[in-house]
mmCIF file with all atom_site columns, all heavy atoms in Angstrom:
data_model
loop_
_atom_site.group_PDB
_atom_site.id
_atom_site.type_symbol
_atom_site.label_atom_id
_atom_site.label_alt_id
_atom_site.label_comp_id
_atom_site.label_asym_id
_atom_site.label_entity_id
_atom_site.label_seq_id
_atom_site.pdbx_PDB_ins_code
_atom_site.Cartn_x
_atom_site.Cartn_y
_atom_site.Cartn_z
_atom_site.occupancy
_atom_site.B_iso_or_equiv
_atom_site.pdbx_formal_charge
_atom_site.auth_seq_id
_atom_site.auth_comp_id
_atom_site.auth_asym_id
_atom_site.auth_atom_id
_atom_site.pdbx_PDB_model_num
ATOM 1   N N   . ALA A 1 145 ? -19.477 7.149   -34.520 1.00 90.00 ? 426 ALA A N   1
ATOM 2   C CA  . ALA A 1 145 ? -20.889 6.876   -34.237 1.00 90.00 ? 426 ALA A CA  1
ATOM 3   C C   . ALA A 1 145 ? -21.541 6.233   -35.452 1.00 90.00 ? 426 ALA A C   1
ATOM 4   O O   . ALA A 1 145 ? -22.347 5.302   -35.329 1.00 90.00 ? 426 ALA A O   1
ATOM 5   C CB  . ALA A 1 145 ? -21.606 8.166   -33.860 1.00 90.00 ? 426 ALA A CB  1
ATOM 6   N N   . GLY A 1 146 ? -21.159 6.719   -36.652 1.00 90.00 ? 427 GLY A N   1
ATOM 7   C CA  . GLY A 1 146 ? -21.706 6.157   -37.883 1.00 90.00 ? 427 GLY A CA  1
ATOM 8   C C   . GLY A 1 146 ? -21.281 4.713   -38.074 1.00 90.00 ? 427 GLY A C   1
ATOM 9   O O   . GLY A 1 146 ? -22.084 3.848   -38.431 1.00 90.00 ? 427 GLY A O   1
ATOM 10  N N   . VAL A 1 147 ? -19.991 4.428   -37.779 1.00 92.00 ? 428 VAL A N   1
ATOM 11  C CA  . VAL A 1 147 ? -19.489 3.059   -37.913 1.00 92.00 ? 428 VAL A CA  1
ATOM 12  C C   . VAL A 1 147 ? -20.303 2.124   -37.014 1.00 92.00 ? 428 VAL A C   1
ATOM 13  O O   . VAL A 1 147 ? -20.763 1.064   -37.456 1.00 92.00 ? 428 VAL A O   1
ATOM 14  C CB  . VAL A 1 147 ? -17.980 2.990   -37.542 1.00 92.00 ? 428 VAL A CB  1
ATOM 15  C CG1 . VAL A 1 147 ? -17.525 1.552   -37.414 1.00 92.00 ? 428 VAL A CG1 1
ATOM 16  C CG2 . VAL A 1 147 ? -17.149 3.719   -38.587 1.00 92.00 ? 428 VAL A CG2 1
ATOM 17  N N   . LEU A 1 148 ? -20.488 2.536   -35.761 1.00 93.00 ? 429 LEU A N   1
ATOM 18  C CA  . LEU A 1 148 ? -21.206 1.679   -34.819 1.00 93.00 ? 429 LEU A CA  1
ATOM 19  C C   . LEU A 1 148 ? -22.647 1.455   -35.256 1.00 93.00 ? 429 LEU A C   1
ATOM 20  O O   . LEU A 1 148 ? -23.183 0.347   -35.167 1.00 93.00 ? 429 LEU A O   1
ATOM 21  C CB  . LEU A 1 148 ? -21.159 2.286   -33.412 1.00 93.00 ? 429 LEU A CB  1
ATOM 22  C CG  . LEU A 1 148 ? -19.779 2.271   -32.755 1.00 93.00 ? 429 LEU A CG  1
ATOM 23  C CD1 . LEU A 1 148 ? -19.825 2.962   -31.405 1.00 93.00 ? 429 LEU A CD1 1
ATOM 24  C CD2 . LEU A 1 148 ? -19.242 0.852   -32.609 1.00 93.00 ? 429 LEU A CD2 1
ATOM 25  N N   . ALA A 1 149 ? -23.273 2.528   -35.759 1.00 92.00 ? 430 ALA A N   1
ATOM 26  C CA  . ALA A 1 149 ? -24.676 2.416   -36.188 1.00 92.00 ? 430 ALA A CA  1
ATOM 27  C C   . ALA A 1 149 ? -24.796 1.418   -37.332 1.00 92.00 ? 430 ALA A C   1
ATOM 28  O O   . ALA A 1 149 ? -25.646 0.518   -37.315 1.00 92.00 ? 430 ALA A O   1
ATOM 29  C CB  . ALA A 1 149 ? -25.199 3.776   -36.619 1.00 92.00 ? 430 ALA A CB  1
ATOM 30  N N   . LEU A 1 150 ? -23.905 1.546   -38.322 1.00 93.00 ? 431 LEU A N   1
ATOM 31  C CA  . LEU A 1 150 ? -23.944 0.622   -39.460 1.00 93.00 ? 431 LEU A CA  1
ATOM 32  C C   . LEU A 1 150 ? -23.644 -0.802  -39.008 1.00 93.00 ? 431 LEU A C   1
ATOM 33  O O   . LEU A 1 150 ? -24.268 -1.758  -39.450 1.00 93.00 ? 431 LEU A O   1
ATOM 34  C CB  . LEU A 1 150 ? -22.922 1.038   -40.522 1.00 93.00 ? 431 LEU A CB  1
ATOM 35  C CG  . LEU A 1 150 ? -23.275 2.255   -41.352 1.00 93.00 ? 431 LEU A CG  1
ATOM 36  C CD1 . LEU A 1 150 ? -22.199 2.485   -42.401 1.00 93.00 ? 431 LEU A CD1 1
ATOM 37  C CD2 . LEU A 1 150 ? -24.625 2.075   -42.030 1.00 93.00 ? 431 LEU A CD2 1
ATOM 38  N N   . PHE A 1 151 ? -22.668 -0.923  -38.101 1.00 95.00 ? 432 PHE A N   1
ATOM 39  C CA  . PHE A 1 151 ? -22.259 -2.234  -37.603 1.00 95.00 ? 432 PHE A CA  1
ATOM 40  C C   . PHE A 1 151 ? -23.460 -2.971  -36.993 1.00 95.00 ? 432 PHE A C   1
ATOM 41  O O   . PHE A 1 151 ? -23.777 -4.103  -37.388 1.00 95.00 ? 432 PHE A O   1
ATOM 42  C CB  . PHE A 1 151 ? -21.124 -2.030  -36.582 1.00 95.00 ? 432 PHE A CB  1
ATOM 43  C CG  . PHE A 1 151 ? -20.882 -3.182  -35.660 1.00 95.00 ? 432 PHE A CG  1
ATOM 44  C CD1 . PHE A 1 151 ? -20.866 -4.496  -36.125 1.00 95.00 ? 432 PHE A CD1 1
ATOM 45  C CD2 . PHE A 1 151 ? -20.639 -2.954  -34.306 1.00 95.00 ? 432 PHE A CD2 1
ATOM 46  C CE1 . PHE A 1 151 ? -20.617 -5.556  -35.262 1.00 95.00 ? 432 PHE A CE1 1
ATOM 47  C CE2 . PHE A 1 151 ? -20.399 -4.009  -33.439 1.00 95.00 ? 432 PHE A CE2 1
ATOM 48  C CZ  . PHE A 1 151 ? -20.408 -5.309  -33.920 1.00 95.00 ? 432 PHE A CZ  1
ATOM 49  N N   . ILE A 1 152 ? -24.164 -2.302  -36.085 1.00 95.00 ? 433 ILE A N   1
ATOM 50  C CA  . ILE A 1 152 ? -25.245 -2.995  -35.374 1.00 95.00 ? 433 ILE A CA  1
ATOM 51  C C   . ILE A 1 152 ? -26.377 -3.370  -36.329 1.00 95.00 ? 433 ILE A C   1
ATOM 52  O O   . ILE A 1 152 ? -26.847 -4.503  -36.346 1.00 95.00 ? 433 ILE A O   1
ATOM 53  C CB  . ILE A 1 152 ? -25.778 -2.123  -34.210 1.00 95.00 ? 433 ILE A CB  1
ATOM 54  C CG1 . ILE A 1 152 ? -24.672 -1.901  -33.173 1.00 95.00 ? 433 ILE A CG1 1
ATOM 55  C CG2 . ILE A 1 152 ? -26.984 -2.780  -33.550 1.00 95.00 ? 433 ILE A CG2 1
ATOM 56  C CD1 . ILE A 1 152 ? -24.173 -3.159  -32.497 1.00 95.00 ? 433 ILE A CD1 1
ATOM 57  N N   . HIS A 1 153 ? -26.791 -2.410  -37.150 1.00 95.00 ? 434 HIS A N   1
ATOM 58  C CA  . HIS A 1 153 ? -27.913 -2.716  -38.048 1.00 95.00 ? 434 HIS A CA  1
ATOM 59  C C   . HIS A 1 153 ? -27.520 -3.795  -39.063 1.00 95.00 ? 434 HIS A C   1
ATOM 60  O O   . HIS A 1 153 ? -28.274 -4.740  -39.310 1.00 95.00 ? 434 HIS A O   1
ATOM 61  C CB  . HIS A 1 153 ? -28.362 -1.453  -38.781 1.00 95.00 ? 434 HIS A CB  1
ATOM 62  C CG  . HIS A 1 153 ? -29.491 -1.702  -39.726 1.00 95.00 ? 434 HIS A CG  1
ATOM 63  N ND1 . HIS A 1 153 ? -30.780 -1.886  -39.282 1.00 95.00 ? 434 HIS A ND1 1
ATOM 64  C CD2 . HIS A 1 153 ? -29.522 -1.851  -41.075 1.00 95.00 ? 434 HIS A CD2 1
ATOM 65  C CE1 . HIS A 1 153 ? -31.557 -2.127  -40.326 1.00 95.00 ? 434 HIS A CE1 1
ATOM 66  N NE2 . HIS A 1 153 ? -30.827 -2.103  -41.422 1.00 95.00 ? 434 HIS A NE2 1
ATOM 67  N N   . THR A 1 154 ? -26.311 -3.689  -39.634 1.00 95.00 ? 435 THR A N   1
ATOM 68  C CA  . THR A 1 154 ? -25.868 -4.664  -40.631 1.00 95.00 ? 435 THR A CA  1
ATOM 69  C C   . THR A 1 154 ? -25.677 -6.038  -40.012 1.00 95.00 ? 435 THR A C   1
ATOM 70  O O   . THR A 1 154 ? -25.949 -7.063  -40.646 1.00 95.00 ? 435 THR A O   1
ATOM 71  C CB  . THR A 1 154 ? -24.554 -4.199  -41.292 1.00 95.00 ? 435 THR A CB  1
ATOM 72  O OG1 . THR A 1 154 ? -24.717 -2.858  -41.722 1.00 95.00 ? 435 THR A OG1 1
ATOM 73  C CG2 . THR A 1 154 ? -24.199 -5.062  -42.478 1.00 95.00 ? 435 THR A CG2 1
ATOM 74  N N   . LEU A 1 155 ? -25.221 -6.056  -38.754 1.00 96.00 ? 436 LEU A N   1
ATOM 75  C CA  . LEU A 1 155 ? -25.077 -7.336  -38.060 1.00 96.00 ? 436 LEU A CA  1
ATOM 76  C C   . LEU A 1 155 ? -26.414 -8.077  -38.039 1.00 96.00 ? 436 LEU A C   1
ATOM 77  O O   . LEU A 1 155 ? -26.487 -9.271  -38.344 1.00 96.00 ? 436 LEU A O   1
ATOM 78  C CB  . LEU A 1 155 ? -24.561 -7.102  -36.632 1.00 96.00 ? 436 LEU A CB  1
ATOM 79  C CG  . LEU A 1 155 ? -24.489 -8.317  -35.708 1.00 96.00 ? 436 LEU A CG  1
ATOM 80  C CD1 . LEU A 1 155 ? -23.605 -9.390  -36.299 1.00 96.00 ? 436 LEU A CD1 1
ATOM 81  C CD2 . LEU A 1 155 ? -23.974 -7.915  -34.338 1.00 96.00 ? 436 LEU A CD2 1
ATOM 82  N N   . GLY A 1 156 ? -27.488 -7.342  -37.705 1.00 95.00 ? 437 GLY A N   1
ATOM 83  C CA  . GLY A 1 156 ? -28.813 -7.963  -37.670 1.00 95.00 ? 437 GLY A CA  1
ATOM 84  C C   . GLY A 1 156 ? -29.208 -8.550  -39.016 1.00 95.00 ? 437 GLY A C   1
ATOM 85  O O   . GLY A 1 156 ? -29.732 -9.656  -39.099 1.00 95.00 ? 437 GLY A O   1
ATOM 86  N N   . THR A 1 157 ? -28.910 -7.792  -40.092 1.00 95.00 ? 438 THR A N   1
ATOM 87  C CA  . THR A 1 157 ? -29.297 -8.255  -41.424 1.00 95.00 ? 438 THR A CA  1
ATOM 88  C C   . THR A 1 157 ? -28.421 -9.413  -41.893 1.00 95.00 ? 438 THR A C   1
ATOM 89  O O   . THR A 1 157 ? -28.917 -10.437 -42.354 1.00 95.00 ? 438 THR A O   1
ATOM 90  C CB  . THR A 1 157 ? -29.150 -7.105  -42.440 1.00 95.00 ? 438 THR A CB  1
ATOM 91  O OG1 . THR A 1 157 ? -29.627 -5.923  -41.838 1.00 95.00 ? 438 THR A OG1 1
ATOM 92  C CG2 . THR A 1 157 ? -29.929 -7.372  -43.695 1.00 95.00 ? 438 THR A CG2 1
ATOM 93  N N   . LEU A 1 158 ? -27.107 -9.227  -41.763 1.00 95.00 ? 439 LEU A N   1
ATOM 94  C CA  . LEU A 1 158 ? -26.184 -10.245 -42.289 1.00 95.00 ? 439 LEU A CA  1
ATOM 95  C C   . LEU A 1 158 ? -26.295 -11.559 -41.524 1.00 95.00 ? 439 LEU A C   1
ATOM 96  O O   . LEU A 1 158 ? -26.231 -12.628 -42.123 1.00 95.00 ? 439 LEU A O   1
ATOM 97  C CB  . LEU A 1 158 ? -24.745 -9.737  -42.234 1.00 95.00 ? 439 LEU A CB  1
ATOM 98  C CG  . LEU A 1 158 ? -24.223 -8.992  -43.453 1.00 95.00 ? 439 LEU A CG  1
ATOM 99  C CD1 . LEU A 1 158 ? -22.739 -8.711  -43.289 1.00 95.00 ? 439 LEU A CD1 1
ATOM 100 C CD2 . LEU A 1 158 ? -24.462 -9.752  -44.739 1.00 95.00 ? 439 LEU A CD2 1
ATOM 101 N N   . ALA A 1 159 ? -26.467 -11.471 -40.205 1.00 96.00 ? 440 ALA A N   1
ATOM 102 C CA  . ALA A 1 159 ? -26.566 -12.709 -39.423 1.00 96.00 ? 440 ALA A CA  1
ATOM 103 C C   . ALA A 1 159 ? -27.747 -13.528 -39.931 1.00 96.00 ? 440 ALA A C   1
ATOM 104 O O   . ALA A 1 159 ? -27.669 -14.748 -40.050 1.00 96.00 ? 440 ALA A O   1
ATOM 105 C CB  . ALA A 1 159 ? -26.724 -12.394 -37.943 1.00 96.00 ? 440 ALA A CB  1
ATOM 106 N N   . LYS A 1 160 ? -28.853 -12.834 -40.255 1.00 95.00 ? 441 LYS A N   1
ATOM 107 C CA  . LYS A 1 160 ? -30.018 -13.562 -40.776 1.00 95.00 ? 441 LYS A CA  1
ATOM 108 C C   . LYS A 1 160 ? -29.705 -14.186 -42.148 1.00 95.00 ? 441 LYS A C   1
ATOM 109 O O   . LYS A 1 160 ? -29.977 -15.355 -42.385 1.00 95.00 ? 441 LYS A O   1
ATOM 110 C CB  . LYS A 1 160 ? -31.217 -12.633 -40.887 1.00 95.00 ? 441 LYS A CB  1
ATOM 111 C CG  . LYS A 1 160 ? -32.479 -13.348 -41.361 1.00 95.00 ? 441 LYS A CG  1
ATOM 112 C CD  . LYS A 1 160 ? -33.663 -12.408 -41.325 1.00 95.00 ? 441 LYS A CD  1
ATOM 113 C CE  . LYS A 1 160 ? -34.860 -12.993 -42.052 1.00 95.00 ? 441 LYS A CE  1
ATOM 114 N NZ  . LYS A 1 160 ? -35.419 -14.163 -41.407 1.00 95.00 ? 441 LYS A NZ  1
ATOM 115 N N   . LEU A 1 161 ? -29.099 -13.381 -43.032 1.00 95.00 ? 442 LEU A N   1
ATOM 116 C CA  . LEU A 1 161 ? -28.764 -13.901 -44.360 1.00 95.00 ? 442 LEU A CA  1
ATOM 117 C C   . LEU A 1 161 ? -27.762 -15.055 -44.261 1.00 95.00 ? 442 LEU A C   1
ATOM 118 O O   . LEU A 1 161 ? -27.900 -16.075 -44.937 1.00 95.00 ? 442 LEU A O   1
ATOM 119 C CB  . LEU A 1 161 ? -28.177 -12.788 -45.230 1.00 95.00 ? 442 LEU A CB  1
ATOM 120 C CG  . LEU A 1 161 ? -29.155 -11.706 -45.691 1.00 95.00 ? 442 LEU A CG  1
ATOM 121 C CD1 . LEU A 1 161 ? -28.419 -10.573 -46.380 1.00 95.00 ? 442 LEU A CD1 1
ATOM 122 C CD2 . LEU A 1 161 ? -30.200 -12.295 -46.634 1.00 95.00 ? 442 LEU A CD2 1
ATOM 123 N N   . PHE A 1 162 ? -26.758 -14.885 -43.390 1.00 96.00 ? 443 PHE A N   1
ATOM 124 C CA  . PHE A 1 162 ? -25.751 -15.936 -43.217 1.00 96.00 ? 443 PHE A CA  1
ATOM 125 C C   . PHE A 1 162 ? -26.418 -17.221 -42.726 1.00 96.00 ? 443 PHE A C   1
ATOM 126 O O   . PHE A 1 162 ? -26.112 -18.318 -43.201 1.00 96.00 ? 443 PHE A O   1
ATOM 127 C CB  . PHE A 1 162 ? -24.678 -15.496 -42.208 1.00 96.00 ? 443 PHE A CB  1
ATOM 128 C CG  . PHE A 1 162 ? -23.601 -14.616 -42.801 1.00 96.00 ? 443 PHE A CG  1
ATOM 129 C CD1 . PHE A 1 162 ? -23.789 -13.956 -43.998 1.00 96.00 ? 443 PHE A CD1 1
ATOM 130 C CD2 . PHE A 1 162 ? -22.378 -14.448 -42.152 1.00 96.00 ? 443 PHE A CD2 1
ATOM 131 C CE1 . PHE A 1 162 ? -22.804 -13.147 -44.542 1.00 96.00 ? 443 PHE A CE1 1
ATOM 132 C CE2 . PHE A 1 162 ? -21.385 -13.642 -42.683 1.00 96.00 ? 443 PHE A CE2 1
ATOM 133 C CZ  . PHE A 1 162 ? -21.599 -12.989 -43.876 1.00 96.00 ? 443 PHE A CZ  1
ATOM 134 N N   . SER A 1 163 ? -27.338 -17.074 -41.765 1.00 96.00 ? 444 SER A N   1
ATOM 135 C CA  . SER A 1 163 ? -27.957 -18.282 -41.203 1.00 96.00 ? 444 SER A CA  1
ATOM 136 C C   . SER A 1 163 ? -28.857 -18.951 -42.232 1.00 96.00 ? 444 SER A C   1
ATOM 137 O O   . SER A 1 163 ? -28.955 -20.179 -42.277 1.00 96.00 ? 444 SER A O   1
ATOM 138 C CB  . SER A 1 163 ? -28.732 -17.963 -39.934 1.00 96.00 ? 444 SER A CB  1
ATOM 139 O OG  . SER A 1 163 ? -29.994 -17.431 -40.242 1.00 96.00 ? 444 SER A OG  1
ATOM 140 N N   . GLU A 1 164 ? -29.489 -18.145 -43.098 1.00 94.00 ? 445 GLU A N   1
ATOM 141 C CA  . GLU A 1 164 ? -30.307 -18.764 -44.154 1.00 94.00 ? 445 GLU A CA  1
ATOM 142 C C   . GLU A 1 164 ? -29.431 -19.586 -45.100 1.00 94.00 ? 445 GLU A C   1
ATOM 143 O O   . GLU A 1 164 ? -29.821 -20.664 -45.540 1.00 94.00 ? 445 GLU A O   1
ATOM 144 C CB  . GLU A 1 164 ? -31.084 -17.700 -44.926 1.00 94.00 ? 445 GLU A CB  1
ATOM 145 C CG  . GLU A 1 164 ? -32.382 -17.343 -44.234 1.00 94.00 ? 445 GLU A CG  1
ATOM 146 C CD  . GLU A 1 164 ? -33.076 -16.145 -44.831 1.00 94.00 ? 445 GLU A CD  1
ATOM 147 O OE1 . GLU A 1 164 ? -32.658 -15.671 -45.904 1.00 94.00 ? 445 GLU A OE1 1
ATOM 148 O OE2 . GLU A 1 164 ? -34.039 -15.667 -44.202 1.00 94.00 ? 445 GLU A OE2 1
ATOM 149 N N   . ALA A 1 165 ? -28.232 -19.066 -45.386 1.00 95.00 ? 446 ALA A N   1
ATOM 150 C CA  . ALA A 1 165 ? -27.304 -19.824 -46.241 1.00 95.00 ? 446 ALA A CA  1
ATOM 151 C C   . ALA A 1 165 ? -26.902 -21.123 -45.550 1.00 95.00 ? 446 ALA A C   1
ATOM 152 O O   . ALA A 1 165 ? -26.833 -22.177 -46.183 1.00 95.00 ? 446 ALA A O   1
ATOM 153 C CB  . ALA A 1 165 ? -26.074 -18.980 -46.555 1.00 95.00 ? 446 ALA A CB  1
#
Side-chain angles (χ1 to χ4, degrees):
Chain A
V428 169
L429 291 177
L431 286 183
F432 161 43
I433 296 297
H434 179 76
T435 310
L436 174 58
T438 319
L439 270 187
K441 183 175 168 67
L442 289 172
F443 278 18
S444 80
E445 275 171 10

